[in-house]
Amino acid sequence: MGELEMEKHVRYILTIEKKKDDFVSLVIEHLRINGAYWGLTTLDLLGKIETIDQDEVVSWVMKCQDESGGFAGNIGHDPHILYTLSAVQILALLDKLDVLDIDKVSNYVAGLQNEDGSFSGDIWGEVDTRFSYIAICCLSILRRLEKINVEKAVDFVVRCKNLDGGFGSTPGGESHAGQIFCCVGALALTGSLHHIDRDLLGWWLCERQVKSGGLNGRPEKLPDVCYSWWVLSSLVMIDRVHWIDKEKLARFILDCQDKENGGISDRPDDAVDVFHTYFGVAGLSLLEYPGVKAIDPAYALPVDVVNKIIFKK
Ligand code: GRG
Ligand code: ZN
């Protein structure tokens, strides 16, 4: 099996699209705040976070904050809970959470909870279990979970559970590995994993592994490196990761590398992008690949970063 081309992936992230030589301006133009989170987390997992200008990143992130307390994807755009989590994750990664007005940000997130316990993504009101996970993860990092009704939030997630053991985006929605990650993550972060039938869900998740070793996101679909994050992190959280062939999955991820120019794609021989580079490296991290830092499956942040947050007085 080929090796993980760590240096090439680092270089790829630092020079994405090679249009500018400065990471931050690339992020601003092409990736926005979500992309910055994926890129920076990958760099940290590969032990190279110090190669970027951290003060520049922090000052750019803070310019994305809106009056409401929420963050936008870029300067001057509208705030959304999706971007707010990325902003908080980036600041946690750089150990700079103290630049935030924690109550202002957490009030924005808490203000998006609905009467039934669900969360909207922004003022326009779309409801999705993605937003439940994001709110819970964000408030856990900020240590302000008490600002929401956790019991009702858990209740809503549990209402999105299906007979196959999986979860959908809303009650009755089809099970999909991405939504399963969100629901399992939300339940893990609130100490509510007892709502899950681990064997039933574990069986559904391990059936996502196809012949090539890769994982798909739903029955009959093609494998994709991103499910090495969505499926694998869920299996780790419910303690059923030994139900898949880890060796074969690692080989599939390594086969999706661009061995010349760095980066990882969704499937072998496709074009690489920063998202799948993160999913591949994060997947290998969960598989305990040598030389890659450990990632926390619920917070989606390196374990050492999470420990700093949890053990802070
Ligand atoms: C901090 C890790 C982290 C996440 C933030 C945004 C978010 C919370 C979670 C997204 C979860 C999700 C729904 C992921 C799925 C993304 C995806 C690959 C969707 C593709 O679905 P289809 O139907 O593709 O287009 P398939 O693979 O089913 O053919
Ligand atoms: Zn994908």
Side-chain angles (χ1 to χ4, degrees):
M1 156 177 16
E3 301 266 296
L4 180 63
E5 301 282 354
M6 299 205 196
E7 271 165 36
K8 286 188 177 149
H9 299 324
V10 168
R11 213 171 328 129
Y12 164 73
I13 289 167
L14 293 172
T15 59
I16 288 162
E17 297 188 30
K18 296 197 172 73
K19 284 187 184 142
K20 291 247 171 77
D21 52 8
D22 159 25
F23 179 76
V24 174
S25 49
L26 284 167
V27 162
I28 290 167
E29 290 189 353
H30 305 288
L31 301 171
R32 311 196 304 171
I33 214 160
N34 286 151
Y37 155 72
W38 303 117
L40 292 167
T41 305
T42 308
L43 280 184
D44 197 20
L45 292 175
L46 296 174
K48 287 288 188 298
I49 192 78
E50 77 284 357
T51 53
I52 50 116
D53 183 337
Q54 307 202 359
D55 292 339
E56 211 180 334
V57 175
V58 172
S59 99
W60 170 67
V61 166
M62 291 312 288
K63 284 191 195 129
C64 294
Q65 192 173 24
D66 174 78
E67 284 171 0
S68 59
F71 285 78
N74 209 335
I75 301 168
H77 293 199
D78 293 334
H80 194 285
I81 199 169
L82 264 165
Y83 304 129
T84 305
L85 174 62
S86 289
V88 167
Q89 284 174 315
I90 291 169
L91 295 172
L93 203 56
L94 302 179
D95 200 12
K96 292 279 168 44
L97 283 172
D98 50 1
V99 304
L100 284 178
D101 180 339
I102 304 257
D103 282 311
K104 194 158 185 189
V105 183
S106 46
N107 285 342
Y108 167 80
V109 173
L112 292 168
Q113 189 170 31
N114 303 307
E115 199 42 52
D116 65 355
S118 67
F119 283 83
S120 300
D122 62 8
I123 53 165
W124 303 108
E126 184 199 358
V127 166
D128 190 301
T129 45
R130 278 179 304 154
F131 309 145
S132 299
Y133 164 73
I134 291 174
I136 287 168
C137 186
C138 208
L139 294 174
S140 301
I141 295 171
L142 298 174
R143 300 152 65 93
R144 290 292 186 283
L145 212 46
E146 73 275 5
K147 291 209 179 200
I148 57 167
N149 186 327
V150 174
E151 203 183 315
K152 276 190 162 186
V154 167
D155 226 50
F156 179 76
V157 169
V158 172
R159 281 180 51 218
C160 297
K161 186 167 67 172
N162 293 317
L163 289 172
D164 59 15
F167 293 83
S169 57
T170 47
E174 183 195 0
S175 293
H176 185 288
Q179 307 298 149
I180 292 175
F181 159 78
C182 293
C183 295
V184 176
L187 296 176
L189 291 169
T190 52
S192 312
L193 284 174
H194 56 277
H195 288 291
I196 292 180
D197 181 336
R198 291 174 190 235
D199 287 344
L200 186 63
L201 177 58
W203 181 247
W204 191 94
L205 288 167
C206 79
E207 284 212 301
R208 306 281 57 77
Q209 188 160 38
V210 301
K211 266 208 186 105
S212 62
L215 304 170
N216 64 17
R218 282 182 283 174
E220 313 298 332
K221 294 278 189 163
L222 289 172
D224 181 325
V225 161
C226 62
Y227 297 114
S228 314
W229 171 257
W230 308 120
V231 172
L232 206 56
S233 59
S234 304
L235 280 168
V236 172
M237 288 188 273
I238 63 167
D239 199 18
R240 293 293 180 274
V241 77
H242 52 285
W243 284 10
I244 59 152
D245 186 335
K246 291 160 104 182
E247 244 338 75
K248 263 184 113 177
L249 175 58
R251 206 171 313 135
F252 176 80
I253 298 171
L254 293 169
D255 281 347
C256 294
Q257 300 181 99
D258 179 333
K259 296 196 149 226
E260 251 168 68
N261 303 312
I264 299 175
S265 55
D266 57 354
R267 279 183 276 283
D269 302 323
D270 277 358
V272 303
D273 62 67
V274 71
F275 301 98
H276 290 87
T277 304
Y278 162 88
F279 292 125
V281 171
L284 290 170
S285 164
L286 293 173
L287 292 169
E288 300 174 271
Y289 191 91
V292 181
K293 273 171 68 171
I295 189 162
D296 184 281
Y299 284 94
L301 285 170
V303 167
D304 58 347
V305 172
V306 172
N307 285 340
K308 245 186 253 166
I309 296 164
I310 292 175
F311 297 118
K312 211 169 190 163
K313 285 198 200 89

